Amino acid sequence: MSSFFQRVYRVVRRIPPGKVATYGQIAALLGYPRAARTVGWAMHALPEDSDVPWQRVINAQGRISTSWQEHDVSHQQRLLEAEGIVFGADGRVDLAAFGWEGLTWPEIDELQRGEAESSLD
DNA sequence: ACAATGACATAAG
DNA sequence: GCTTATGCCATTG
């Protein structure tokens, strides 16, 4: 697995339950503010037996942009609602209320160090 | 190395 | 608010 994907997964795992992050936000944490599309690609390539909470990653508008038709949007929405996230009538999430604040610098530092030591995940 | 692709983001109509 | 167009980036063939 390519390093970039691993880094994406590692960050996504840090998203606490009941919170959501955007693709662009994750990309920015990795040092590529414009690599949101690649983050989305990483989610798409994510194996089902993974422990990565992919459902907590949505687009910048608080909407679920999944086009993974095998498990439509309602599936992802159900997973998020189970964590306490509330969807608006138009199917949007209030990022101001449920948006992930991101990682603190110590956490980012720990993330980087962990990446250097363990290549598996 | 080149071209195509895609769970995005943002600006414009 | 919705649709189109353009930019971005890593991965793949």
Side-chain angles (χ1 to χ4, degrees), chain A residues 9-53:
Chain A
Y9 302 151
R10 201 181 296 267
V11 171
V12 173
R13 284 201 203 85
R14 296 295 189 264
I15 304 176
K19 293 285 185 177
V20 293
T22 68
Y23 300 93
Q25 180 180 7
I26 292 172
L29 287 173
L30 294 175
Y32 294 86
R34 302 299 159 213
R37 303 191 70 162
T38 309
V39 173
W41 190 297
M43 295 297 105
H44 184 231
L46 198 59
E48 294 197 24
D49 59 351
S50 171
D51 61 335
V52 178

Side-chain angles (χ1 to χ4, degrees), chain A residues 46-120:
Chain A
L46 198 59
E48 294 197 24
D49 59 351
S50 171
D51 61 335
V52 178
W54 56 270
Q55 71 272 20
R56 298 183 193 138
V57 184
I58 59 181
N59 65 17
Q61 302 176 15
R63 278 180 175 284
I64 295 177
S65 4
T66 309
S67 66
W68 188 21
Q69 318 215 336
E70 301 176 19
H71 300 289
D72 60 316
V73 242
S74 61
H75 177 238
Q76 182 171 357
Q77 179 171 338
R78 183 173 57 75
L79 289 174
L80 291 176
E81 289 177 332
E83 297 182 348
I85 294 176
V86 179
F87 283 73
D90 55 354
R92 294 204 311 152
V93 175
D94 183 359
L95 291 178
F98 302 102
W100 184 36
E101 299 87 6
L103 294 170
T104 63
W105 287 115
E107 287 175 320
I108 294 177
D109 182 59
E110 179 183 342
L111 202 67
Q112 308 275 338
R113 288 191 291 100
E115 178 181 351
E117 295 179 4
S118 69
S119 53
L120 54 109

